[in-house]
Every structure is written in structure tokens, then in C-alpha cells.
């Protein structure tokens, strides 16, 4: 989401004639779009603010801080870092063009006293990623998981007008984008209420599939992040009926212990999650699953932790984002007793990482020799004669080939595996994405 919103902000600047500076130290405007999900993310921002504050003592430029950290800490940041010229919270991005206009005129921008209302940008394509793009369809979250700061900095869920979503997909397709990822903090709870009635996430996917069938632009669709409590039988059915939806689902489980899941306020059980996995794999046999895993939550016992490991053994995720619990002030879990010692948290995290490496390696090795369809999306940094591509299962493949194949789909045979990246020796690609 941060990448998508950053791309939209950069696009609004380019549309007004601004150009990207060769380095931040030469820029007339520096915008830092922040994230507050992890304490470490905020620490990195503070490091950048320290750097830019020192540079600002030597030369003038405009420093804008946007996003969740600006929303969460507000005027406290202005007190800590007087070098910041403007703060744009999560609802304030619509003011950015007004700041640009003021800078162009050489005057100061004064924000209205009224709280800005969130609005989606029309396009979120990033010039650095010419064949793949994010398309936000929701903003905010209404789940209030006890460890998570997101609902407090982004507010409750807001669903985007489906007409705007379809229009953005058309626009990015016309620009050469071949794959999109629909975004939402809880993407599958999408629910649009308009004059023609309501539209849920499966209904939106059906509309997108119909549009993609009729167009030659976007061909592959992904989405994240999915909450298990909102994955319906209808959603699984829609995915199985339309080949444009990539056979990969990021299905956040967080933990394998019912006791911990309840303390996290996840609103599903271990049994529900495993039953959901069985349904998905029954309807989508080629699907790969990834997840988020959180260890060291307050009160987590060794028995709870073993239940997480056993769930991993049963599901066998292709990959996982793994982290240990860090208290976030303002969340419900902040006040929970029985915090886990750092040494235990780090030890448990390492055990989870080690087990996931075993599963990832096993799954990838079993794929060697198979024929797959990929989107060729870049040139290898290590070898200009090699191309980087991705399967619909979200696996990376390197293959020798001409740069003219960029942005095309190709059929590859996975000949070998190096680390977590496949190698292919030969391929056939379809120019202009027509197979």
C-alpha cells in the first residue's frame, strides 16, 4: 500500500512538470511516505529525518512527511524535527498538489482547518515497474487485531467505487501493464454500496475478469492481503472459474494456537483456517499459499508455539513473512501482561524461519522439470543476457533471452533451482502478449 500511494504521489508531481532528482541531496522537494506497522519502520524514518535535517542547515529545500507515521504522531514530529515543512496524514494526500502549486509560486501553503477526507488517486502505476502495478480497492481496516496499529492510523474500511477500479485497470493496461495486484488492508472484505445496490469482493472479481477477457492489456490479477474470516466459498468459486486470477493466495494466519488467535482478536480458529486451506486446494489444485507468522505474542507458551509449528507442517506454505511481536503503543495488546523475553522471541522466530526454509526448498525442488507460464518483467542485475520472470504461483525464474521479450508472457521448463530461484534454459514468448 505504501508503494502504491508513493507512486501516486510521484505521478502527481510529474504531471505538474516536476522531475526526479539524481539524489535526495540535490532535490528541491523531499517527500517521505511513512509506515507505522513496525516500530523498526518508524526508526528508519527518524534516521532519514535526522539526515535531512542536517542537510537543510546547509541548503534550502521543502521536506514533506506523509503517511501513517505523520498521522500517528502529528505535531509531535514537528516539535522533534522543525525541518519538516508539511505533514500529510493518511487522509491528507489530496493536499499534495496544493503544496506543489504553492512551491511553484514561491508561497507558503496553509491547510484548511477542516479534516481532509480520504480519496483514492486515479492511478498508482510506478514507472520503475513497467509491467506490474498495484491497484488499491480499499483503505483502512475495521478488524482491530490486538497487535496492529493500522486501524488507528488509517481509520475504518472504505471501499473504492468499482467504476474507478475498472477505469484504472484499463488505464494501466493501455500503458503496458500486464499484471495488477488489488490492494487492501483486508482486501476480501471489500463491499461497495452504490445506487445500484451492493457489490462484494467476489462480485468485483467477476467484473474485473469480464473486462480482462475483453481487453488486451492486463492479463494477470493478484490480490492481498486476505483475511481468513472473509474468504467465502463464492470467492474460491470465482477464482477457480477464471484463469486471469493467479494461482497464489497470501492467506495470513499469524498463529496456530486457538488461545493466541483469540488473544490476537483474529476471529477465526485453527480448525477454520485448516478447513479453508483444504477447500482452496480442492478447488485450485495448482495454488501456492503464503502467509504471515507472528511469534512471541504476550502469554505465548511453548505449547502454543508448538501448535504454530504443527500448523506450518500441515499447510506447508511456499513462503512466509515471519516476525516476532513488538509492542505498539495504542493497540489493545500494549497493556497485555506476560510479555515474552526477547531471547525467547528471537529463538522461536529462528525456529520458525528454519522450518519455513525446509518447506520452501521442498516445494520448489518438486517443481523442477515442470512447464510453467511466466511474465517476463526485468533484466537480471547480475547478467544482462538473462531475464527475470515470475510464475503465477509467485515463483522467480531466470532465463536467457532478448530484451524484446520484456512485458511478454512465456512458456518455460523449470530446468534447475539455485537457492529459491528457478533456472530455465529455453523459452518461447508471445510478442505483444498474444499467445
Amino acid at each position: 500500500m505504501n508503494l502504491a500511494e508513493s507512486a501516486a504521489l510521484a505521478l502527481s508531481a510529474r504531471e505538474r512538470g516536476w522531475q526526479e532528482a539524481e539524489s535526495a541531496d540535490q532535490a528541491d522537494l523531499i517527500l517521505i511516505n511513512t509506515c507505522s506497522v513496525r516500530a523498526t519502520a518508524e526508526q528508519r524514518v527518524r534516521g532519514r529525518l535526522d539526515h535531512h535535517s542536517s542537510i537543510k542547515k546547509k541548503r534550502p529545500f521543502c521536506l514533506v512527511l506523509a503517511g501513517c507515521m505523520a498521522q500517528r504522531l502529528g505535531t509531535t514530529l514537528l516539535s522533534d524535527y522543525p525541518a519538516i515543512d508539511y505533514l500529510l496524514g493518511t487522509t491528507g494526500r489530496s493536499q499534495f498538489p496544493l503544496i506543489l502549486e504553492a512551491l511553484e509560486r514561491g508561497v507558503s501553503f496553509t491547510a484548511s482547518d477542516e479534516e481532509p477526507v480520504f480519496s483514492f488517486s486515479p492511478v498508482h502505476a510506478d514507472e520503475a515497474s513497467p509491467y506490474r502495478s498495484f491497484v488499491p480497492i480499499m483503505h483502512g481496516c475495521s478488524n482491530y487485531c490486538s497487535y496492529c496499529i493500522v486501524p488507528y492510523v488509517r481509520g475504518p474500511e472504505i471501499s473504492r467505487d468499482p467504476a474507478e477500479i475498472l477505469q484504472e485497470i484499463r488505464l494501466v493496461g493501455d500503458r503496458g501493464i500486464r499484471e495488477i495486484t488489488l490492494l487492501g488492508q483486508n482486501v476480501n472484505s471489500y463491499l461497495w454500496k452504490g445506487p445500484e445496490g451492493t457489490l462484494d469482493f467476489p462480485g468485483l472479481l467477476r467484473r474485473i475478469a469480464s473486462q480482462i477477457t475483453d481487453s488486451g492489456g492486463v492479463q494477470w490479477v493478484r490480490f492481498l492481503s486476505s483475511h481468513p474470516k472473509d474468504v467465502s466459498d463464492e470467492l474460491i468459486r470465482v477464482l477457480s472459474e477464471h484463469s486471469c486470477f493467479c494461482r497464489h493466495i497470501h492467506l495470513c494466519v499469524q498463529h496456530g494456537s486457538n488461545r493466541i488467535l483469540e488473544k490476537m482478536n483474529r476471529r477465526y480458529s485453527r480448525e477454520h483456517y485448516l478447513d479453508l486451506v483444504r477447500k482452496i486446494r480442492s478447488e485450485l489444485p495448482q495454488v501456492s499459499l503464503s502467509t504471515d507468522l507472528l511469534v512471541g505474542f504476550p502469554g505465548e507458551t511453548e505449547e502454543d508455539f508448538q501448535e504454530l509449528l504443527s500448523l506450518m507442517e500441515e499447510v506447508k506454505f511456499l513462503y512466509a513473512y515471519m516476525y516476532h511481536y513488538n509492542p505498539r503503543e495504542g493497540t489493545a495488546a500494549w497493556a497485555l501482561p506476560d510479555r515474552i523475553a526477547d531471547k525467547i522471541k528471537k529463538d522461536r522466530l529462528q525456529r520458525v524461519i528454519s522450518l519455513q526454509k525446509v518447506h520452501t526448498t521442498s516445494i520448489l525442488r518438486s517443481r523442477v522439470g515442470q512447464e510453467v507460464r511466466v511474465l517476463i518483467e526485468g533484466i537480471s542485475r547480475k547478467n544482462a543476457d538473462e531475464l527475470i520472470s515470475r510464475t503465477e504461483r509467485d515463483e522467480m525464474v531466470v532465463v536467457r533471452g532478448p530484451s524484446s521479450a520484456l512485458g511478454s508472457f512465456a512458456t518455460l521448463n523449470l530446468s534447475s533451482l539455485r537457492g529459491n530461484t528457478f533456472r530455465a534454459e529455453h523459452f518461447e514468448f508471445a510478442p505483444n502478449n498474444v499467445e
Side-chain angles (χ1 to χ4, degrees):
M1 189 67 78
N2 185 281
L3 289 171
E5 293 174 351
S6 296
L9 289 166
L11 179 61
S12 67
R14 286 195 295 270
E15 288 177 341
R16 295 187 63 89
W18 290 70
Q19 296 179 348
E20 185 174 352
E22 291 186 7
S23 71
D25 292 340
Q26 299 175 359
D28 299 308
L29 167 68
I30 294 174
L31 186 146
I32 305 175
N33 194 24
T34 63
C35 174
S36 287
V37 171
R38 305 276 180 268
T40 50
E42 291 192 352
Q43 291 167 5
R44 287 195 296 270
V45 170
R46 287 186 178 275
R48 294 190 184 190
L49 288 173
D50 286 334
H51 171 74
H52 294 310
S53 294
S54 65
I55 297 298
K56 200 167 185 180
K57 294 177 182 178
K58 303 174 184 177
R59 69 174 189 88
F61 60 87
C62 179
L63 180 59
V64 181
L65 193 79
C68 293
M69 191 173 173
Q71 183 75 28
R72 190 175 84 85
L73 298 175
T75 54
T76 300
L77 284 170
L78 293 177
S79 176
D80 293 343
Y81 301 96
I84 297 174
D85 294 289
Y86 300 106
L87 284 177
L88 295 178
T90 54
T91 59
R93 287 186 298 119
S94 58
Q95 296 180 341
F96 185 56
L98 301 178
I99 293 174
L100 295 176
E101 181 182 6
L103 290 172
E104 293 159 7
R105 294 169 52 201
V107 299
S108 297
F109 168 71
T110 303
S112 168
D113 292 334
E114 296 183 6
E115 180 68 22
V117 177
F118 176 81
S119 61
F120 290 94
S121 299
V123 179
H124 301 79
D126 186 348
E127 285 191 344
S129 180
Y131 309 113
R132 306 170 66 215
S133 182
F134 294 118
V135 177
I137 67 168
M138 292 185 65
H139 175 83
C141 184
S142 300
N143 288 320
Y144 290 92
C145 298
S146 63
Y147 54 83
C148 185
I149 196 70
V150 169
Y152 303 96
V153 294
R154 285 190 173 264
E157 293 172 354
I158 301 172
S159 293
R160 187 180 182 188
D161 187 330
E164 293 181 7
I165 297 170
L166 294 171
Q167 174 66 5
E168 179 168 2
I169 294 173
R170 280 192 291 268
L171 288 172
V172 298
D174 290 343
R175 296 183 183 186
I177 295 295
R178 296 297 171 250
E179 175 190 307
I180 60 167
T181 300
L182 308 176
L183 291 183
Q185 269 76 29
N186 183 15
V187 70
N188 49 326
S189 68
Y190 174 91
L191 187 65
W192 171 257
K193 298 179 180 180
E196 299 179 358
T198 60
L199 183 70
D200 61 8
F201 189 54
L204 175 66
L205 294 189
R206 288 191 186 278
R207 291 194 185 185
I208 291 173
S210 177
Q211 176 169 300
I212 286 177
T213 301
D214 296 332
S215 71
V218 172
Q219 296 295 302
W220 275 4
V221 180
R222 303 180 190 270
F223 55 87
L224 52 87
S225 193
S226 300
H227 197 295
K229 72 178 179 61
D230 296 311
V231 176
S232 64
D233 291 346
E234 177 65 10
L235 172 56
I236 298 172
R237 185 177 305 112
V238 172
L239 297 178
S240 68
E241 290 174 353
H242 299 279
S243 61
C244 62
F245 300 117
C246 291
R247 283 354 189 196
H248 171 255
I249 299 176
H250 188 75
L251 192 62
C252 305
V253 67
Q254 303 297 353
H255 212 278
S257 162
N258 282 335
R259 194 177 71 87
I260 298 299
L261 288 172
E262 184 177 359
K263 292 182 70 173
M264 289 178 170
N265 193 34
R266 290 294 289 172
R267 291 187 277 175
Y268 56 83
S269 67
R270 170 195 180 97
E271 292 75 22
H272 173 85
Y273 187 89
L274 292 175
D275 184 56
L276 187 57
V277 168
R278 285 188 285 269
K279 286 182 181 179
I280 291 172
R281 285 179 166 160
S282 174
E283 294 295 323
L284 302 165
Q286 298 302 315
V287 75
S288 65
L289 296 176
S290 57
T291 198
D292 293 349
L293 301 172
L294 172 57
V295 304
F297 192 77
E300 179 190 68
T301 64
E302 179 63 25
E303 181 180 1
D304 293 321
F305 179 69
Q306 288 297 326
E307 290 192 64
L308 171 57
L309 296 181
S310 69
L311 183 138
M312 292 175 66
E313 290 282 16
E314 186 163 349
V315 178
K316 290 186 170 58
F317 299 102
L318 175 63
Y319 61 83
Y321 296 102
M322 299 158 285
Y323 47 101
H324 63 68
Y325 173 74
N326 279 315
R328 304 297 286 128
E329 187 174 2
T331 64
W334 172 261
L336 287 179
D338 303 321
R339 288 189 182 176
I340 308 301
D342 283 348
K343 183 178 185 303
I344 296 175
K345 287 194 295 187
K346 292 178 180 179
D347 174 72
R348 289 176 179 172
L349 178 59
Q350 188 55 54
R351 289 157 68 188
V352 165
I353 291 172
S354 297
L355 180 58
Q356 183 55 53
K357 284 182 177 178
V358 171
H359 293 165
T360 298
T361 300
S362 175
I363 292 171
L364 294 180
R365 284 178 177 172
S366 71
R367 297 269 289 159
V368 173
Q370 295 187 20
E371 188 174 271
V372 298
R373 188 174 184 235
V374 300
L375 172 61
I376 299 174
E377 56 189 48
I379 298 174
S380 172
R381 294 179 181 179
K382 297 180 179 179
N383 188 336
D385 294 329
E386 294 182 332
L387 304 174
I388 303 296
S389 64
R390 187 187 307 266
T391 73
E392 61 177 325
R393 286 168 48 95
D394 207 23
E395 303 152 325
M396 300 303 298
V397 188
V398 173
V399 63
R400 288 185 176 274
S403 59
S404 58
L406 289 172
S408 296
F409 291 95
T411 300
L412 305 179
N413 185 274
L414 303 177
S415 59
S416 63
L417 182 68
R418 296 182 186 176
N420 291 337
T421 302
F422 289 108
R423 309 283 303 189
E425 300 303 329
H426 176 72
F427 73 96
E428 296 179 1
F429 72 95
N432 301 318
N433 299 287
V434 178
E435 292 198 8

